[in-house]
Amino acid sequence: MELKGRNAVVTGAAGGIGAAIAAALHERGARVLLADLDEAVADTAVKLGQAHWTGDVSSADGVADLVDTAERELGQVDLYFANAGIGGSTGLGGEGDWDRILDVNLRAHIRAAERLVPQWTARGEGYFVATASAAGLLTQIGSAGYSVTKHATVDALAHT
């Protein structure tokens, strides 16, 4: 795929996999909006000469603000990398733990897709990539929430 001139959003981009994705996109000529709850995303973005957004994708308002910011900063979004994720509590956790991990690891992806996929369908192109890890295919022993959300991500994307 030719990435030169494409506009991409990468969540969870303050470091690790997200920062590596953003750097690879940048190296191939894409304009990238790096997004993360961690304010270190600003430093990562500056190193790449790219835009950034600091906020929380675990809410519908957060995702809406992220996409609005991307469209304002970059123009139409061509690629969305749903990389933000949390490990969650160990064991089963409580209802609040489940809400948080579902919001970050799954609902954030759904909310972004609800916003972007209709635009992409109308123009005939767009790419949604989610980081699901091996836990999306196997089970992460001792972390039910993480395993469930990663399996759900793989399943949801396979059926879109």
Side-chain angles (χ1 to χ4, degrees), residues 7-11 33-35 52-57 59-82 108-120 123 128:
N7 298 324
V9 173
V10 180
T11 66
L33 179 75
L34 287 79
H52 76 279
W53 175 85
T54 304
D56 190 350
V57 295
S59 72
D61 289 342
V63 171
D65 187 52
L66 170 58
V67 174
D68 288 344
T69 300
E71 290 173 341
R72 189 172 52 254
E73 294 286 327
L74 306 175
Q76 69 184 13
V77 175
D78 301 306
L79 304 107
Y80 189 93
F81 291 82
H109 306 354
I110 294 166
R111 292 169 177 147
E114 287 174 334
R115 175 78 182 264
L116 294 167
V117 170
Q119 296 174 21
W120 294 341
R123 71 176 200 244
F128 196 100

Side-chain angles (χ1 to χ4, degrees), residues 17-58:
I17 294 169
I21 292 168
L25 291 164
H26 169 70
E27 289 169 9
R28 289 165 179 81
R31 291 181 297 274
V32 184
L33 179 75
L34 287 79
D36 206 298
L37 183 61
D38 185 339
E39 292 183 9
V41 72
D43 296 331
T44 305
V46 166
K47 288 176 189 170
L48 296 175
Q50 299 292 324
H52 76 279
W53 175 85
T54 304
D56 190 350
V57 295
S58 70

Side-chain angles (χ1 to χ4, degrees), residues 21 24 32 53 101 106-107 112 131 136:
I21 292 168
V32 184
W53 175 85
I101 199 165
L106 182 62
R107 291 183 187 126
T131 304

